[in-house]
Amino acid sequence: MTSVLFVCLGNICRSPTAEAVFRARAVGQDIRIDSAGTGAWHAGEGPDPRSRAEGERRGYSFAGQAARKVRVEDFNDFDYVLAMDASNLSDLREICPLEATAQVLLFLPNGADVPDPYYGGPNGFRDVVDLIEAASDHWLSKLAPKK
Ligand code: 4NP
């Protein structure tokens, strides 16, 4: 089984959206999916209502999601730890143990950031889902079992 952990700063906007989109698109594939934040300010909270509204409008479910901070064990528990932006990636690489087995990478295949929508308007939340949908298809084709 392949496992993927999506990581952003607060684990209430971008990475919960990535978790919801990826879970919907990975149905029938043997992939374990979770999300976490590099910060703990929102630990225990559900996804931001603005992210949730935009995701649910497109048919994604956020059921059961609660924010948590990245744990050092995550770097061995998951095959891929995928960062939403360069700052998340640098924070992750700082705490990733040297002997960890996970591949710690940026989520967007072109090396760009999924911009933090937290302090912006509704367009930011729409852009986040657009970017995540496209990148999810990229990752799913990469992770699909070779026939
Ligand atoms: P996220 O967005 O990293 O996509 O979950 C944020 C959520 C909360 C904060 C920043 C970004 N915050 O500063 O509380």
Side-chain angles (χ1 to χ4, degrees), residues 52-107:
R52 195 169 176 138
E54 182 56 28
E56 286 178 346
R57 195 177 68 75
R58 301 192 197 196
Y60 301 112
S61 168
F62 294 74
Q65 289 205 41
R68 72 166 177 89
K69 191 170 192 268
V70 171
R71 298 185 276 263
V72 81
E73 307 88 87
D74 288 327
F75 296 101
N76 287 307
D77 282 352
F78 289 88
D79 299 313
Y80 293 92
V81 176
L82 300 179
M84 293 295 131
D85 67 30
S87 160
N88 307 147
L89 183 64
S90 129
D91 290 344
L92 286 168
R93 291 200 162 141
E94 236 165 67
I95 59 168
C96 180
L98 277 178
E99 69 281 8
T101 52
Q103 295 198 52
V104 183
L105 301 167
L106 267 183
F107 176 51

Side-chain angles (χ1 to χ4, degrees), residues 10-144:
N11 192 209
I12 55 170
C13 297
R14 292 165 292 174
S15 59
T17 302
E19 181 182 342
V21 169
F22 212 73
R23 183 159 283 130
R25 294 185 174 211
V27 163
Q29 295 193 44
D30 201 14
I31 303 179
R32 181 163 58 92
I33 302 158
D34 196 7
S35 68
T38 57
W41 309 283
H42 298 277
E45 293 176 19
D48 185 289
R50 299 165 295 175
S51 291
R52 195 169 176 138
E54 182 56 28
E56 286 178 346
R57 195 177 68 75
R58 301 192 197 196
Y60 301 112
S61 168
F62 294 74
Q65 289 205 41
R68 72 166 177 89
K69 191 170 192 268
V70 171
R71 298 185 276 263
V72 81
E73 307 88 87
D74 288 327
F75 296 101
N76 287 307
D77 282 352
F78 289 88
D79 299 313
Y80 293 92
V81 176
L82 300 179
M84 293 295 131
D85 67 30
S87 160
N88 307 147
L89 183 64
S90 129
D91 290 344
L92 286 168
R93 291 200 162 141
E94 236 165 67
I95 59 168
C96 180
L98 277 178
E99 69 281 8
T101 52
Q103 295 198 52
V104 183
L105 301 167
L106 267 183
F107 176 51
L108 291 193
N110 65 357
D113 291 344
V114 179
D116 185 345
Y118 190 68
Y119 292 108
N123 285 347
F125 289 86
R126 285 200 286 275
D127 293 347
V128 162
V129 189
D130 288 341
L131 288 167
I132 286 173
E133 286 179 334
S136 294
D137 288 343
H138 163 86
W139 278 101
L140 282 165
S141 62
K142 196 176 143 79
L143 302 180

